[in-house]
Each structure stands twice: as C-alpha cells, then as structure tokens.
Amino acid sequence: MDLGIGGKKALVCASSRGLGRGCAEALAAEGVNLVMNARSEGPLMDAANAIADLYGVTVTPVAADITSEEGRAKVLAEATDVDILVNNAGGPPPGMWHDWDREDFIRALDANMLTPIALMKALLPGMIEKGWGRVVNITSQSVKSPIAQLGLSNSARAGLTGYVAGTSRQVAPMGVVINNLLPGIHATDRAVSLDTGVAEAQGITMEEAKKQRAATIPTRRYGTAEEFGAACAFLCSDKAGFIIGQNISLDGGSFNATI
Ligand code: NAD
C-alpha cells in the first residue's frame, strides 16, 4: 500500500533508539524526510546516518532534551514546517503512591504531558495552514489499564490523553489528524531494564524473566519496534484521515476487553 506521504517532512522526538526509532524508520521507508531528536549526540548521529543511507531521505538530527524549553526551541528551529509530528520521550521512574512530591509530578507532567502539548501548539498552526497534518503521540498501555508502580506515568499520560481527545476534534475540520499509540511491552532497552529488575528481585535469569512476562501476553512474545513503527506510519498516512482522537493499543492483546 502506498501511504501517500512520500516527500513530506516529519519530526520524530526521542528517536535514536526503541519505539521512536521504529517510527522514524517506517516513515523514512515511505520517503518521508526527517528531523530526528535524542539527547546524546553520538547515537543520534549514528541513527540519522544509517536511516539517510538506507532510505535515501534527508535526515536532520537535533541533539536536545525535548522535555526542556531550551531543547524544544532547538528542535523547533529545524522543524517549523513539518507535516507530521511524532511525540515521544522517556517515561518517569517507578515508585509507590506516597513516594512522589509536587516536584516529581511537575517533572512527569512536563515530560509526558506538557512537552507533547507544547510541540502540538507550536506545529499545529503550520499544519492547519497547509490543510494537512498528522500527529501521533506515543503514550502507554497504562492509559487504559494502570501500572500501579508507574503512578507518575499514569497521571501525566492521562492528562495528555484528555487534551488530545478534545483538541483532535477541534483541528479535524482543517485536515489535521491526531491519535495516540499505546504500547504494551516491546523489545526495547526499556524492556531490558524492566526484565533486569525482575531477574534481580526474583533471583532468576533474564531469559526466565522475559519468558515469564511473555507468558502473560496473548501473543506470548514482546512487540517489536518495527511493528510499532508500521502502525505509526499508517496513522501518519494519507489513508488515516478518518481516524480521529483514538487511543490504539499495540499490546499483543494484553488489555483484556471486548471493546
Ligand atoms: P527506549 O529507552 O528504548 O528509547 C528511548 C529513546 O528516547 C532514546 O532514543 C532516547 O535517547 C530518547 N529520549 C529519552 N528521553 C529523552 C528526552 N528527554 N529528550 C530526547 N530524547 C529522549 O524507550 P522506548 O521503549 O522506545 O519507550 C518510548 C516511550 O514509550 C517511553 O515513554 C516509554 O515509557 C513508553 N513505553 C514503552 C514501552 C515498552 O515496552 N518499550 C511500553 C509502554 C510505554
């Protein structure tokens, strides 16, 4: 299927590794030129060069912390005219409900709610002017089904989800499509760190920890960044114009619901 986005330009945040990288690769495979972002310059340059070489698209890397105002300004300087925005950043740390103070919440809200909102506010006007735009926010399965120890993430991502629910309907008449992708467990560095925690806590091997977690998923395996990227590219495509304000689970069937 031709997704109809060859020659468009996308900003993919937090994309040197993992799910963001999967999205960047899938868009590049469709001929989309990229602004890629991550915090560390070396891995970002490696990823940008690899993608530009493989897919023959233009890739502009911007090393910056996307959750800081300064970092966003640096990224936006290269991305004012984008047609597609993929919002992503690292998730907040785990803990217990009584662990977090106001400052912890402010940090989590800044990273996982107010950063994607700031980027949408900066880039939606350009998309509206063109009469075409796509936004995908990488959130989490925790939006539908709380992960108890990730209270900061549950809270911040719920806030973003509420904002998108209304905003997506306000910009849809102007040809701009906003949706959220909700990852369940995917085989990225984050899954490695989660499994390391389980292995250490239970005194089992990494392989056992992974097998144990996979057994809880109907697919009996983790998702891949490639699968995630393909779904993202479809939501960014010309074919996705009637999908508005949805929260789409990519979790191997983990969220147990009829509808
Ligand atoms: P990852 O650790 O594999 O990759 C994170 C990427 O984001 C890297 O490129 C890193 O450089 C970049 N990054 C992190 N913080 C950044 C910042 N402040 N500014 C710029 N770049 C930054 O993570 P992932 O598994 O790809 O996860 C992506 C998002 O999806 C996270 O918010 C995570 O919480 C969420 N998520 C992941 C899973 C999973 O199983 N992998 C499940 C649910 C939710």
Side-chain angles (χ1 to χ4, degrees):
M1 187 194 297
D2 175 6
L3 295 186
I5 46 176
K8 292 205 183 283
K9 182 173 172 183
L11 165 59
V12 187
C13 302
S15 56
S16 65
R17 291 184 282 115
L19 303 181
R21 169 79 179 259
C23 297
E25 296 241 7
L27 289 169
E30 294 299 317
V32 174
N33 298 310
L34 300 175
V35 176
M36 288 176 66
N37 152 258
R39 281 171 304 190
S40 311
E41 183 134 26
L44 176 63
M45 292 304 291
D46 291 347
N49 290 335
I51 289 177
D53 286 351
L54 189 58
Y55 301 105
V57 295
T58 306
V59 183
T60 308
V62 186
D65 180 346
I66 199 67
T67 67
S68 74
E69 210 167 318
E70 195 190 12
R72 278 193 299 280
K74 212 172 149 192
V75 170
L76 285 170
E78 299 293 341
T80 38
D81 55 345
V82 296
D83 310 282
I84 295 167
L85 164 65
V86 179
N87 272 317
N88 187 31
M96 285 293 286
W97 59 272
H98 48 71
D99 287 341
W100 306 303
D101 296 327
R102 178 180 163 77
E103 281 314 307
D104 301 305
F105 277 100
I106 297 295
R107 257 194 302 279
L109 291 173
D110 253 341
N112 296 108
M113 177 186 172
L114 299 177
T115 289
I117 290 175
L119 291 171
M120 281 187 267
K121 283 184 69 181
L123 297 174
L124 287 177
M127 297 181 191
I128 289 168
E129 205 175 309
K130 293 184 213 182
W132 196 98
R134 299 287 184 264
V135 179
V136 169
N137 299 298
I138 301 180
T139 66
S140 172
Q141 64 181 353
S142 68
V143 169
K144 285 195 176 182
S145 178
I147 301 170
Q149 68 277 22
L150 293 181
L152 291 173
S153 170
N154 298 339
S155 307
R157 295 187 198 281
L160 174 64
T161 305
Y163 177 84
V164 166
T167 304
S168 60
R169 277 132 179 126
Q170 287 180 319
V171 300
M174 285 79 97
V176 179
V177 170
I178 312 179
N179 288 290
N180 301 323
L181 269 183
L182 283 51
I185 191 78
H186 280 71
T188 67
D189 288 354
R190 188 164 172 281
V192 171
S193 83
L194 288 173
D195 288 339
T196 304
V198 171
E200 283 170 7
Q202 296 184 15
I204 56 178
T205 65
M206 276 290 281
E207 211 40 54
E208 283 165 339
K210 202 171 157 190
K211 212 168 152 190
Q212 186 173 294
R213 191 189 300 277
T216 66
I217 308 168
T219 51
R220 303 287 184 263
R221 66 170 179 87
Y222 292 6
T224 67
E226 291 73 24
E227 290 170 311
F228 193 89
C232 176
F234 182 78
L235 286 178
C236 294
S237 79
D238 215 21
K239 312 280 188 262
F242 209 54
I243 306 175
I244 302 294
Q246 297 303 299
N247 291 284
I248 297 166
S249 297
L250 286 179
D251 66 354
S254 293
F255 181 63
N256 193 33
T258 303
I259 52 173

